[in-house]
Amino acid sequence: IIANKVLSGGSGLIGNLYGDSLLSRFERDALNLSGVKYIFIKEGLNDIIHQYSKSMSPNTLKCSTDDIIAGYIQLINAAHERGIKVYFFTKSAWKGYERAFLGQTGDLVWSQEAQDKCDELDKWIKTNKLADGYIDVSPLANPSDTYALCPSFTPDGAHLTDLASIAVAD
């Protein structure tokens, strides 16, 4: 499960493209599918960074890492009630990403404040005893700046190339 946000659906002109929150679609998109034994979740980054987007911020739920963790716990509990194991991905590096909106750059740029929230979530992902495990994507980071992805792993500073996806799978 990837993209959109854990806690809230899309909001604002661009945000509406993100659809329903993971919490609201989890049962339909994961739990109710026959034969599901494992669920891999790579979400939470948008919950953080959309709060810093100029175009999305006014309409975006302001949430803390504790709020996102509470959402993660709901997902874990719902899956475990059905005997399904849950694994999380750590947050991808994203320094250098700058989303343009309607031709104007700077709609969303990396900040240490947002990164600190990502780091808090990663710490929880790596140390919690509720989930069944995690996949650490930090090896995709640029060795010279671990807050950024390796250039060969991203077309824009945030999203992964096919090469990066293969590296994660490996």
Side-chain angles (χ1 to χ4, degrees):
I1 297 177
I2 190 168
N4 75 0
K5 294 187 278 188
V6 174
L7 301 177
S8 64
S11 60
L13 189 57
I14 270 185
N16 287 329
L17 300 174
Y18 287 88
D20 296 332
S21 72
L22 176 55
L23 285 175
S24 67
R25 64 186 180 87
F26 191 59
E27 187 167 339
R28 177 194 73 208
D29 291 357
L31 300 179
N32 284 347
L33 300 178
S34 64
V36 173
K37 296 179 184 175
Y38 310 97
I39 296 174
F40 296 86
I41 299 173
K42 189 179 187 308
E43 288 208 26
L45 180 60
N46 286 343
D47 290 84
I48 294 170
I49 67 174
H50 287 180
Q51 297 177 71
Y52 297 91
S53 164
K54 292 175 188 171
S55 65
M56 293 177 159
S57 179
N59 301 311
T60 296
L61 174 70
K62 306 299 185 236
C63 60
S64 67
T65 53
D66 287 340
D67 295 329
I68 299 167
I69 290 167
Y72 285 167
I73 292 169
Q74 287 181 50
L75 298 169
I76 293 166
N77 289 340
H80 283 174
E81 285 174 9
R82 297 189 188 203
I84 300 170
K85 293 186 177 197
V86 177
Y87 299 85
F88 288 92
F89 286 82
T90 58
K91 303 296 151 267
S92 299
W94 61 284
K95 186 176 182 183
Y97 177 63
E98 185 174 324
R99 184 179 62 218
F101 178 68
L102 298 177
Q104 296 186 8
T105 60
D107 180 54
L108 174 64
V109 294
W110 181 91
S111 72
Q112 188 63 54
E113 180 180 1
Q115 183 62 51
D116 290 345
K117 290 180 180 183
C118 291
D119 293 345
E120 285 178 49
L121 279 182
D122 280 353
K123 181 179 178 184
W124 184 86
I125 287 169
K126 291 177 177 181
T127 62
N128 83 86
K129 303 294 184 212
L130 302 173
D132 299 287
Y134 68 93
I135 294 89
D136 186 3
V137 298
S138 65
L140 301 179
N142 188 334
S144 65
D145 184 352
T146 58
Y147 293 137
L149 288 168
C150 281
S152 62
F153 287 150
T154 182
D156 60 7
H159 300 94
L160 302 181
T161 61
D162 290 345
L163 181 62
S165 295
I166 291 167
V168 169
D170 288 346

